[in-house]
Amino acid sequence: MANVKDVAKLAKVSVGTVSKVLNNDPTVKPKNREKVMKAIEKLNYVPNIHAKNLSSGKTNMISIISPTIGDEFHERLVSAIDEVLSKNGYDSVFFPLLSRDRLERVSSPSHFLYQTDGLIVSSLSLTKMFKDNKFPTPKPYILVDTRDEMNDCIFVDNYHGGVLAAKNIKIYPNSDIYILGGYESDEVFSSGVFSERLNGFIDELVNQRGISKKRIKVIEVALSWKESFEVGRNIIKNQKKRFSVFALSDIIAFGFIEGAKSEDMFPGKDYSIIGYDDLSFAESIKLSTVRQPIELLGQTAAELLIEKITNHSNEKIQKCLKPKYIERKSN
Amino acid sequence: MANVKDVAKLAKVSVGTVSKVLNNDPTVKPKNREKVMKAIEKLNYVPNIHAKNLSSGKTNMISIISPTIGDEFHERLVSAIDEVLSKNGYDSVFFPLLSRDRLERVSSPSHFLYQTDGLIVSSLSLTKMFKDNKFPTPKPYILVDTRDEMNDCIFVDNYHGGVLAAKNIKIYPNSDIYILGGYESDEVFSSGVFSERLNGFIDELVNQRGISKKRIKVIEVALSWKESFEVGRNIIKNQKKRFSVFALSDIIAFGFIEGAKSEDMFPGKDYSIIGYDDLSFAESIKLSTVRQPIELLGQTAAELLIEKITNHSNEKIQKCLKPKYIERKSN
DNA sequence: CTGAAAGCGCTTACAG
DNA sequence: CTGAAAGCGCTTACAG
């Protein structure tokens, strides 16, 4: 593998000049630039990125950490983030957690992810794992989709989302009201958003709509279509009259609806249901839901991080976006 | 930020010894190891990963490239890959393509992703973008879920998967047979798997089951639940008798089924349908499908890559796994 | 506008 | 088992 020295020798210039050409420094004379380009071409030279990172002290990369991949929420969030980063000259590199084992590896302060120019951490309350509740890095970072008073963060008002669902959900006389979801199997993998939605929902129902707490039943389901399908089937079996459901995610709502359908019960007719997120399928299946501004969340996170990097600003960021209730046929 | 020198000074040893402690070299005397550990603790020392990468010439990281995130197939594939890599002391770093813009950035030979210890490239035929159809890196790599005669690869026999669907699908007298999917909007984003499934299906239908080509209709749909839902609704409108559908992915099958349901037509009753992949929801919705061994695909890819790295072996890899037809109620 | 040289923070033979 | 020193391949003031 050729290096800058080889290129410099062949082009008959100094390594400093080669470096300048590589970095588009406008002070290089066109003639020299051309000589260098030719040498690069001829030697099939590719700059060593690790040397560059080391000597320049920056990477032009931003680490993005998310609990999983494989769901629409994070795909959209991450795409929105990447778009803004890209416009600002940064590239993104992804670290989905995937498993407990990987979480462990990724928590080592010397892991690569802490040595890019900044981090965006999505839907996780990882800071609990570290000393002083801070990530083990001097690099700037921002948390997304989680509220964390000790760190810069941007999130959607999940409590208010729950309130919106409670304000709008149809309730039948003396019927049960189910809350589906909220099960966060592993504390560090959780962001707390589910319990905030749940709290907002219950508070509004009890305090404003005067619903007795006894009528509200929380069913813990993982964020899994399949598991929610099973819940849909099983709950249905014990139901004799119309009831109401607040699913803490559209995924859960969708699974539940299909499970219920398999027992011949239909949303908007045999029961009312409101989901959360407004994912792409929600409109097709006519699911009433609480919409999160996913793209805006990602864009804003990226913009705030870039601002932190460029201005070395240290003011605390606690930004809150608002969700919106979307009425469809299921409620 | 403290560095090895600071640690060495405080621990009263040489930097070489510090480095050995950092890398768990057993030849360090316990006493010295302890002194170093204490100094590390005291100084809050974190090794600079870029310096380490540069001087050691390796990263212990493997780049994983995939077209998208947000789908179950890639989540499972990537998780399986990561598990095997982890057991062998490697960490994985992800580069989903997400967009054309990002693809462009990521195609630069000097991009970080080409300078890890190896690459696994999933569901893409990116090699067309580069000289000699090879990735611009001396590092070993392997392609997954795509057949590429010029490069090492591991894939599932998609042609055979199409044949399996054709062998098993129920066909009604004089009825139409639809193939859904196969639309690959951007050549470099495609892996060619859809057209192989399609070819296997048609060949078997025409040559073995004696079906006239005229009865077979290909409807191009993107790999999108929502778009497939619309197709389900629209096709249904023109259908007066029972028909058959081969969906080139379970996602497409699922969307189609729901769209059809919204017009009161049901799989296994008003039409027959076979999907592809056997994703987690397939069993719940009773979808007959062609199962791909997704985890095995990922594991094997990771194992083969590690073998290439450790043995510097250069023998060509063209590994083919077999799919399996799963009968459920939809067909 | 260019070149010589120091420096980034590690690892790795090698001598002892 | 340890230390001194060279080396990895870049960037970056600085002198000219």
Side-chain angles (χ1 to χ4, degrees):
Chain A
M1 296 284 291
N3 59 25
V4 268
K5 250 182 177 166
D6 301 322
V7 174
K9 198 182 290 172
L10 186 61
K12 296 202 165 78
V13 295
S14 70
V15 293
T17 303
V18 174
S19 175
K20 281 184 180 114
V21 171
L22 254 21
N23 294 288
N24 294 314
D25 188 319
T27 69
V28 182
K29 263 193 183 163
K31 192 128 195 186
N32 279 335
R33 176 180 306 276
E34 209 170 305
K35 287 200 293 183
V36 171
M37 295 302 274
K38 270 198 185 127
I40 287 174
E41 178 80 31
K42 198 168 213 162
L43 293 170
N44 236 314
Y45 167 74
V46 173
N48 181 309
I49 203 86
H50 306 111
K52 182 173 179 146
N53 289 345
L54 174 61
S55 66
S56 73
K58 53 187 164 57
T59 62
N60 293 313
M61 291 171 94
I62 301 292
S63 303
I64 301 179
I65 297 107
S66 75
T68 51
I69 51 177
D71 62 296
E72 183 185 327
F73 181 90
H74 286 104
E75 170 164 49
R76 284 168 57 189
L77 186 73
V78 148
S79 296
I81 290 171
D82 181 67
E83 204 176 307
V84 173
L85 291 183
S86 163
K87 277 186 190 136
N88 288 274
Y90 289 95
D91 212 331
S92 36
V93 43
F94 295 89
F95 299 89
L97 259 27
L98 302 175
S99 64
R100 251 282 171 190
D101 167 66
R102 187 165 157 81
L103 170 63
E104 224 106 285
R105 280 178 276 148
V106 150
S107 329
S108 162
S110 61
H111 194 281
F112 182 84
L113 81 86
Y114 300 109
Q115 301 195 29
T116 57
D117 296 351
L119 336 190
I120 297 180
V121 183
S122 163
S123 315
L124 289 163
S125 45
L126 285 189
T127 49
K128 290 173 196 160
M129 300 180 57
F130 301 108
K131 204 163 64 169
D132 308 328
N133 298 310
K134 300 275 176 201
F135 278 107
T137 176
K139 302 296 166 71
Y141 60 86
I142 187 165
L143 312 184
V144 189
D145 190 38
T146 184
R147 187 207 302 266
D148 180 336
E149 279 155 23
M150 309 278 290
N151 292 283
D152 290 341
C153 60
I154 169 166
F155 53 93
V156 180
D157 190 337
N158 284 285
Y159 184 91
H160 185 64
V163 169
L164 285 177
K167 272 190 200 300
N168 288 284
I169 197 157
K170 252 178 217 137
I171 296 177
Y172 308 98
N174 302 315
S175 69
D176 288 337
I177 297 148
Y178 291 96
I179 302 176
L180 264 48
Y183 177 65
E184 321 207 65
S185 59
D186 197 327
E187 206 201 351
V188 291
F189 267 104
S190 90
S191 60
V193 296
F194 290 128
S195 46
E196 289 185 19
R197 288 171 200 171
L198 185 143
N199 290 337
F201 185 74
I202 294 180
D203 287 356
E204 176 75 12
L205 233 44
V206 172
N207 302 332
Q208 302 300 319
R209 293 187 66 176
I211 303 290
S212 158
K213 261 199 171 164
K214 284 182 192 158
R215 293 171 61 189
I216 305 171
K217 317 220 144 111
V218 178
I219 300 182
E220 297 201 331
V221 206
L223 193 51
S224 145
W225 191 93
K226 198 185 166 114
E227 201 174 302
S228 308
F229 182 95
E230 295 305 326
V231 170
R233 276 224 294 227
N234 296 330
I235 285 196
I236 286 303
K237 280 184 189 141
N238 310 318
Q239 285 297 330
K240 295 191 174 80
K241 52 185 179 185
R242 295 208 282 187
F243 59 99
S244 313
V245 179
F246 176 35
L248 265 26
S249 155
D250 284 355
I251 304 279
I252 294 172
F254 192 9
F256 179 90
I257 288 173
E258 290 302 307
K261 265 190 203 163
S262 76
E263 299 281 327
D264 275 327
M265 300 206 60
F266 297 87
K269 184 171 145 261
D270 303 303
Y271 63 96
S272 281
I273 184 168
I274 293 181
Y276 209 103
D277 279 344
D278 196 27
L279 299 182
S280 61
F281 56 79
E283 196 182 351
S284 300
I285 65 171
K286 294 172 181 141
L287 177 63
S288 298
T289 190
V290 179
R291 177 186 293 165
Q292 301 212 70
I294 304 179
E295 278 75 13
L296 184 61
L297 195 60
Q299 286 156 10
T300 316
E303 282 160 7
L304 290 172
L305 180 67
I306 287 167
E307 209 179 296
K308 283 187 75 166
I309 294 175
T310 45
N311 302 344
H312 306 279
S313 74
N314 250 332
E315 54 178 321
K316 202 169 177 182
I317 301 168
Q318 295 273 316
K319 180 139 189 167
C320 178
L321 303 180
K322 291 294 170 191
K324 189 182 165 190
Y325 174 68
I326 306 289
E327 173 87 25
R328 293 196 186 102
K329 306 270 179 186
S330 76
N331 179 41
Chain B
M1 294 285 291
N3 60 25
V4 269
K5 250 182 175 167
D6 301 323
V7 174
K9 200 182 288 171
L10 186 60
K12 295 202 165 79
V13 296
S14 71
V15 293
T17 302
V18 173
S19 174
K20 280 183 181 115
V21 171
L22 254 23
N23 293 289
N24 295 314
D25 189 320
T27 70
V28 182
K29 265 196 181 160
K31 191 129 195 185
N32 279 336
R33 177 181 305 278
E34 209 169 304
K35 288 200 294 182
V36 171
M37 296 301 275
K38 270 199 184 128
I40 287 174
E41 178 80 30
K42 196 167 214 165
L43 293 170
N44 235 314
Y45 167 74
V46 173
N48 181 309
I49 202 85
H50 306 111
K52 181 173 180 146
N53 288 345
L54 173 61
S55 66
S56 72
K58 53 190 165 53
T59 61
N60 293 313
M61 293 171 94
I62 301 292
S63 303
I64 302 179
I65 297 107
S66 76
T68 51
I69 51 176
D71 60 298
E72 182 185 327
F73 180 91
H74 286 104
E75 170 165 49
R76 284 168 57 189
L77 186 73
V78 148
S79 296
I81 290 172
D82 181 67
E83 204 176 308
V84 173
L85 291 182
S86 164
K87 277 185 191 137
N88 289 274
Y90 288 95
D91 211 331
S92 36
V93 42
F94 295 90
F95 298 90
L97 258 27
L98 302 174
S99 64
R100 251 280 169 191
D101 167 64
R102 187 165 155 82
L103 170 63
E104 224 106 285
R105 279 178 276 149
V106 150
S107 326
S108 162
S110 60
H111 195 281
F112 181 83
L113 82 87
Y114 300 108
Q115 300 196 29
T116 58
D117 296 350
L119 338 188
I120 297 180
V121 183
S122 163
S123 315
L124 290 162
S125 43
L126 285 187
T127 49
K128 290 172 195 158
M129 301 179 58
F130 300 108
K131 204 162 65 169
D132 309 326
N133 298 310
K134 300 275 176 201
F135 278 107
T137 176
K139 302 295 165 68
Y141 61 86
I142 186 163
L143 312 183
V144 189
D145 189 37
T146 184
R147 186 208 302 269
D148 180 337
E149 280 155 23
M150 310 279 289
N151 291 284
D152 291 340
C153 60
I154 168 165
F155 52 94
V156 180
D157 190 338
N158 285 285
Y159 184 90
H160 185 64
V163 168
L164 285 177
K167 272 190 201 302
N168 288 285
I169 196 158
K170 252 178 218 138
I171 296 177
Y172 308 98
N174 302 314
S175 70
D176 287 336
I177 297 148
Y178 291 97
I179 302 175
L180 263 48
Y183 177 65
E184 322 207 64
S185 60
D186 197 327
E187 208 201 349
V188 291
F189 268 103
S190 89
S191 59
V193 296
F194 289 128
S195 46
E196 289 184 20
R197 288 171 200 172
L198 185 145
N199 291 337
F201 185 75
I202 295 180
D203 287 356
E204 177 75 11
L205 234 44
V206 172
N207 302 332
Q208 302 301 320
R209 294 187 65 176
I211 303 289
S212 158
K213 260 199 171 162
K214 283 181 192 156
R215 292 171 61 190
I216 305 171
K217 319 223 142 107
V218 178
I219 300 183
E220 298 200 332
V221 206
L223 193 51
S224 145
W225 190 93
K226 200 185 163 111
E227 201 173 302
S228 308
F229 182 96
E230 295 305 326
V231 170
R233 278 224 293 227
N234 296 329
I235 284 194
I236 286 302
K237 282 187 186 137
N238 310 317
Q239 285 297 331
K240 299 196 172 73
K241 53 185 178 185
R242 296 207 281 186
F243 59 98
S244 313
V245 178
F246 177 36
L248 266 26
S249 155
D250 284 354
I251 303 280
I252 295 172
F254 191 8
F256 179 89
I257 288 172
E258 289 302 306
K261 264 190 203 162
S262 77
E263 298 282 327
D264 275 326
M265 301 206 59
F266 296 88
K269 184 172 146 259
D270 303 303
Y271 63 96
S272 283
I273 185 167
I274 293 181
Y276 208 102
D277 279 343
D278 196 28
L279 299 181
S280 61
F281 56 79
E283 195 181 351
S284 301
I285 66 171
K286 296 175 180 142
L287 177 63
S288 298
T289 190
V290 179
R291 177 185 293 165
Q292 300 212 71
I294 303 179
E295 278 75 12
L296 184 61
L297 195 60
Q299 286 156 8
T300 316
E303 282 160 6
L304 290 171
L305 180 67
I306 286 166
E307 210 180 295
K308 283 187 72 165
I309 294 176
T310 46
N311 302 345
H312 305 280
S313 74
N314 250 330
E315 54 177 321
K316 202 168 177 180
I317 300 170
Q318 295 274 316
K319 180 138 189 167
C320 179
L321 303 180
K322 291 294 172 193
K324 188 181 165 191
Y325 175 67
I326 307 289
E327 174 86 24
R328 294 196 186 103
K329 305 271 181 185
S330 75
N331 178 40

